[in-house]
Amino acid sequence: MSVELDVFVGNTTIMDKEVYQLWLNGYTVNDAVKVRIEGGVMEECEASADVLLSDTMDQYRTFQMCERLLHHPAKLANQLLFQIPPDRQAMLIERYYAFDDLFVREVLGKKLSKGTKKDLDDVSAKTGVSLKSCRRQFDNFKRVFKVVEELKGPLVENIRQHFLLPDQLARDYAAIVFFANNRFETGKKKLLYLTFQDFAFCAGQLINHWTLGAVDSMMEDMDVDLDKEFLQDLKDLKILITDKDLLDQHKSLVCTALRGKTSVFNEMEANFKNLSRGLVNIAAKLINAKDVRDFFIDLVEKFIEPCRSDKWTSIDMNLFLTHYTNSAHILDTFKHHAVWTRYMGVIKSCILRMYHD
Amino acid sequence: MPGKLKAKIVAGRHLPVMDRASDLTDAFVEVKFGNTTYKTDVYPKSLNPQWNSEWFKFEVDDEDLQDEPLQITVLDHDTYSANDAIGKVYIDIDPLLCSEAATVISGWLPIYDTIHGIRGEINVLVKVDLFNDLNRFRQSSCGVKFFCTTSIPRCYRAIMVHGFVEELVVNEDPEYQWIDRIRTPRASNEARQRLIFLMSGELQRKIGLKVLEMGGNAVVGYLQCFDLEGESGLVVRAIGTACTLEKISTLPSTATHQSNSSPSKDMKEPVFGEEVPGIPLSSGPPTPLRAQTFSSFSPSKSYSRQSSSSDTELSLTPKTGMGSGGSAGKEAGPLKALLRQQTQSALEQREYPFFTLTSFPSGFLLHVGGVVSARSVKLLDRIHNPALGNTRSYKLLDWNSFTADEPETRDAWWEEIRQEIKSHAKALGCHAVVGYSESTSICEEVCILSASGTAAILSSRFMQDGPLDTEHRLSRQPLVFSTGSERVEGDMGSSASLGFEEVVPPGCGFCHIPYDELNIPFPAQLTYCYSCRRSKVPDVLFTTIDLPADANITGKGCLIQARLCRTKKKAQGEGNATAISNLLPFLEYELHTQLMNKLKLRGMNALFGLRIQISVGETMLLGLASATGVYLTALPGPGGIQIAGKTPSDITYEQHISNMQKKINDTIAKNKDLYEINPPEVVEEIIGSPIPEPRQRSRLFRSQSESSDEVSELDLSHGKKDAFVLEIDDTDAVEDIHALLTDSPTPQGFYSCNTEIMPGIQNWTSAIQMFTSVRVFRLNNANLTNQGLNKIFSDLCENLLKSLYFKLRSMVPCCLCHLNFTVAIPEDELIQVAVTAVAMSFDKEQILENGKQSGEKTLTKAITENDEQLQFNLELNPESSHANPLSSPKGLSEVGSHPSARDRCSSWIEQLRLKAHTIRRGSVKTTSSMEKASPLPEGRSRSLRSNRSYSGTSVAVVKMTPLSFIPGAKIIKYLGIINMFFIRETTSLREEGGVSGFLHSFIAEVFAMVRAHVAALGGNAVVSYSMKECVFMENPNKNQAQCLINVSGDAVIFVRESELEAASVQPQSTTHTSNGGEGT
């Protein structure tokens, strides 16, 4: 004796947020039922385990049918099969495209290829995110990447329009796409202390200031790739460290400004030339794709670590970077003001964001 | 050339990839009507083609316009091989043929394929130019409106109700044609879908012709069914009620709504139609369009018949078997031949005074006799029509043209059944049958035909005033009497307080017996009406109709189901039919007993919306009776249930029995509490109305109840004398009683009913959720006893209900309305249960007993409360509680009422406890009714709700409901009937998620297609939606499954009341119309 068939179809599709989350998290039907029983939904509604099982199966089936629509969220709004209120649609999409920070940290900057997908079981074991969920998240990254790769216009806006994601989530996806496209190295040991949100912030800075789209939003291929011309121009900044006079002048300007304002003045004064060399060298090398990948590791090694060992506070960092940037403009022989501003603006906010434990 | 049909193919979207190489599709469209086909250009390499075609014009007869659907086929162009079909769209253009319905069909319609389901959408435009046709001999019936709704549609008023219309057409089932062996199942199913569309169209046209002939312009309560008889053919039949309707101008600004408290004021000038603001209720008595009389209802005849059908108890026992209904059949013999002819005389039309309506405008329904039903078992003969055997074309053949002189046609079968129903009604002293419906159950070659309805007496003022009308009144004393009494109520209005003998409170008239009390057709206990004390009422009332809007009820209603399973030996042919015939009476009797017991267990005394379904399989019969129980104030309170043991020797046995008795008593008390059944104290002892003693009753072994007459409803003691006795004489009986108690109560915040609205709940919010749930249960154990089967079946239904409650828990407080269960035995050892219903939320704070009688009710409450407050206080100090009730006069009467004072003490306590609850709740209710009186909170909550309603979707929201109305909204236009038939098949069952996955997506697709077609007609809702057929077949071994679904409903445009309010700033109109939602 068994229930052979059991379906429930509502004119308005009924979807339980809790069950949806369990499904997204990759629980099997039976595990989901267990979780729900522990959650106490049974007492709340005088239901039995059978009822819960039937409901869970039904919901899982509905989600599976919806899944292909969720791959193209725009379709969800004008499909006829399920009548879902718009607020529910938004919820479905947002949760489907939501990801675990732990997971994304593992694949950030990696090529979204079949090879990476094969390694997902390791990632799953490492992060504790179920393999099913890992696959969904990975496929989401890949799907978004594929769609926006070919599109003109601002990256975040494209993602928001094509996948109907809320603003913050669209920005995060933009970061993921940007990292995947430029293959930034994020997995090195020295970078492990950085969270996804740190990287996402930096990506936002890079997208907004260093890509072609940042200058001219109507340009092709705008937001995913860095502005080549700009990278080329960055080489000119080398003068700041190659010209001895300029370097000394720069140092004295910064020191004058900071004297008495910071507790790490001596360390700063002693280390100024090294730090300046580090930052300018990063700029000068960015024209090579290989060095672009190492951008973050370079920032940490050449700048953040020395400062940290000297026990700079964030306030010290902020002060230094502000005056370091501004002083360059006062130098008489330094001509590359625009490039310098564009470069340092991003560097400053990235470093400030990355400067924590 | 009376019509020009024009179609334009605009675009497609979401098309499937048909060319693997390019991942694209080269789509074009064929538009076919009748024998004419047009094609669009091929739109190459696109999944979202923009054809933007010219207007394709079809010049056709209006007859064809009615019969044929517009067929749109989307294909993928292939240069080298045959073009692949992507899918089809059938468009029923009937709504365009009626001036008052839709004018254009325009929108995205799903492209459907029987194997792949929905495959993208197509945007089309369809229009019809209709020329006037004044030909008297025309075969078309354009302009006749069809409604599935079983009441007068909301924006119409009935000028006249003409009566019963029926028709059936038969054709060969393409599935069983010889050609089926060489063509694909897909082609067969396509053919089947097409054929059924054609047959439905033809059927509708023929019914329309009959309506025109009767002088009507509409069919209300249109019920169309399919009988898939297998090799012997495919029958499409329909019944309905012909009416002349008049559209009510819908100007909200003219809102001159009636006041809530006095609905009976309009009784003198009755108008059919909705009770909404904006209708001047002043049209006089209608003039007859055509002389038509009910000659066949001569009462003398009815009385003479009585003895012959006295064997039927409440006429529920069927006359079954081959030809056993012969006496009735013969009577109609000479009529049969004529009946089929296109020109039927008015006389024959009157043959069946049946009405498919289930709710009526006030004043139409005078008295209700009880449920009448008839069943007949027939053998489907394979060689009905050899002429059909070799036809390959799908030309529609009117079965009757071949078999008019054949005695055993389906027409004749139905004829027989209807005659029987009619004679049952007569036996109950009634001249009409309302809430009438017909159904079949087919297994192999055996077919059970069933018909049921409610015997009733209707006011002739609303039908044609024929010459026999006077005879009616003369011969039918009770009718004249009660008509008079209703007039009295009308004059007095409902402000009349209770307790005064001269005044009849509204809403009890229909309970008064229509039959002669000296000549009761079945053993029943009659008492004087508890409301008006003028006429006799029965102790229980079973009906198939909805609860009349103005009926006086106490407390709330609830769904009551009787479920039964009976094993049957496998047999063939005639032997099988005989076996089934022999089983049927027992099945019905058991169902009836179960219903009665469960009704009493809930402390109620009447059933509405009773629907008994009997399904036949190879090795078993299933019976499912569903109804909504209520406590009618006019009827006496039900007695309790008393268990009596046969052999009282054993002490443990005694113990066992008394335990069980206690359980039952507890359940009754709990239920009364749950459903708030605390009938107003009819202080009859004080009034001392004379109650006659009809003592000639004979007690049937656990059947007819004898309820308390002298004892008031307060009697909870279930004294032996007045209780319903269940004798435990064998294990079966024990099982039965256990089964009685296994029905689990509905969870907190839930109510359920199978009628249009829940008796006792009024303040619906606009949140509705229609759903369909299907379960199939496999009985692996072949050797099950009847009891075992019963338990399984009962559990299946109970668990299904529990699942529904759980699913819909977010809507609490809510009521599952119109819970419509359908059972089937698709295969040996399989039981299929399908439910379609709507969950509707209501405002908890404003729960009102019955808005219409709010004033009166509050008064009653106040009385009972004062009365009971005393006892409530007493309960606080239990020492005195024993002494005090005894000293009250009521207490005394109770003592007198049960001499067997064995469990008196416990029952006192029980009673007091119950009262304590009552008081608590009672006081809440009184305050809530005050809240209701001020329109402010209502208005506020409504505006909040309207804010919540979403907007700006790219797909228009289409509401669906099995009810005839949408709470919180006003239907402003009916766009036409939706009647769709789909078949879905698969050869990759596992890949599609097994049977559940397959059916889940199919049902979702059916919903989607219904919504899309409604939206294309310009509508935003489907009302009176029902899934009439869901035939599911599977073959897991072959990884195959197939399902047929037939759905119908009325496409409408509704406007939210909040929007209406914006136009006319009248806050009270909201309150009122939501009351109107209670249903006419």
Side-chain angles (χ1 to χ4, degrees), chain B residues 44 154 176 239 271 350 353 396 446 645 683 776 878 993 1056 1061 1068:
Chain B
R154 299 261 152 175
Y176 294 88
I239 55 174
V271 164
R350 264 175 276 125
L396 281 170
V446 174
V683 248
V776 175
R1056 284 253 159 262
E1061 265 170 62
Q1068 269 220 322

Side-chain angles (χ1 to χ4, degrees), chain B residues 623-735:
Chain B
L624 180 70
S626 309
T628 301
V630 288
Y631 187 103
L632 284 177
T633 317
L635 263 52
I641 298 173
Q642 176 83 32
I643 295 178
K646 259 265 164 89
T647 46
S649 51
D650 197 351
I651 288 175
T652 52
Y653 187 64
E654 280 275 289
Q655 190 81 40
H656 177 63
I657 286 193
S658 70
N659 271 346
M660 218 139 47
Q661 181 71 61
K662 190 173 177 321
K663 248 191 205 162
I664 287 181
N665 293 350
D666 288 351
T667 315
I668 293 180
K670 220 168 64 198
N671 280 329
K672 285 202 177 187
D673 188 30
L674 182 65
Y675 302 114
E676 295 163 30
I677 299 168
N678 43 341
E681 315 253 338
V682 180
V683 248
E684 58 190 306
E685 278 78 23
I686 299 160
I687 295 163
S689 65
I691 293 165
E693 303 279 311
R695 285 286 162 203
Q696 70 273 41
R697 58 193 156 152
S698 60
R699 180 181 299 181
L700 266 141
F701 168 62
R702 55 167 173 156
S703 73
Q704 220 36 69
S705 81
E706 305 156 45
S707 81
S708 47
D709 29 326
E710 298 94 329
V711 191
S712 77
E713 295 84 347
L714 267 178
D715 178 22
L716 293 165
S717 59
H718 327 311
K720 256 184 185 156
K721 184 176 135 252
D722 295 295
F724 187 66
V725 178
L726 285 178
E727 279 187 58
I728 306 182
D729 47 357
D730 53 18
T731 44
D732 277 19
V734 177
E735 292 280 344

Side-chain angles (χ1 to χ4, degrees), chain B residues 730-951:
Chain B
D730 53 18
T731 44
D732 277 19
V734 177
E735 292 280 344
D736 285 352
I737 291 165
H738 275 300
L740 257 188
L741 295 166
T742 50
D743 277 12
S744 45
T746 52
Q748 190 86 51
F750 273 107
Y751 291 93
S752 58
C753 64
N754 78 331
T755 45
E756 281 256 310
I757 43 127
M758 174 68 174
I761 298 179
Q762 297 247 299
N763 36 306
W764 304 109
T765 70
S766 56
I768 63 168
Q769 167 70 282
M770 190 282 293
F771 59 86
T772 291
S773 186
V774 183
R775 275 191 190 184
V776 175
F777 196 82
R778 183 175 287 281
L779 310 160
N780 291 328
N781 190 349
N783 294 316
L784 277 165
T785 58
N786 279 338
Q787 246 69 36
L789 275 174
N790 273 351
K791 172 121 182 43
I792 288 170
F793 181 40
S794 193
D795 286 349
L796 179 59
C797 295
E798 281 291 314
N799 289 338
L800 186 51
L801 280 171
K802 277 185 207 158
S803 273
L804 298 182
Y805 295 136
F806 182 75
K807 281 261 182 215
L808 300 160
R809 64 192 183 281
S810 64
M811 294 185 74
V812 161
C814 92
C815 177
L816 305 189
C817 293
H818 213 283
L819 266 169
N820 189 0
F821 276 70
T822 355
V823 290
I825 308 172
E827 262 175 60
D828 243 7
E829 303 196 342
L830 284 187
I831 299 178
Q832 178 188 316
V833 181
V835 188
T836 298
V838 63
M840 303 208 289
S841 289
F842 56 90
D843 284 340
K844 204 170 194 173
E845 307 80 47
Q846 300 172 350
I847 296 174
L848 257 199
E849 290 271 299
N850 194 335
K852 303 219 164 187
Q853 298 139 24
S854 57
E856 185 184 316
K857 282 272 154 115
T858 334
L859 187 70
T860 318
K861 285 272 156 44
I863 295 168
T864 39
E865 215 174 311
N866 290 339
D867 198 45
E868 286 173 339
Q869 196 66 53
L870 184 72
Q871 295 188 2
F872 176 56
N873 289 337
L874 287 173
E875 203 217 12
L876 296 174
N877 43 336
E879 280 88 356
S880 57
S881 68
H882 280 268
N884 254 299
L886 281 170
S887 65
S888 79
K890 216 183 306 144
L892 277 172
S893 77
E894 271 160 36
V895 171
S897 72
H898 55 106
S900 66
R902 187 181 46 167
D903 54 354
R904 199 199 323 170
C905 287
S906 66
S907 78
W908 282 127
I909 291 163
E910 193 181 306
Q911 194 178 322
L912 286 167
R913 208 175 293 134
L914 187 87
K915 275 183 186 160
H917 282 285
T918 320
I919 290 160
R920 259 172 250 140
R921 217 187 15 258
S923 57
V924 170
K925 242 177 279 157
T926 332
T927 49
S928 68
S929 59
M930 283 174 194
E931 269 171 38
K932 174 99 179 186
S934 81
L936 254 171
E938 173 103 350
R940 182 166 41 83
S941 58
R942 229 164 252 287
S943 64
L944 277 176
R945 246 173 276 125
S946 68
N947 286 344
R948 222 183 298 150
S949 73
Y950 37 82
S951 57

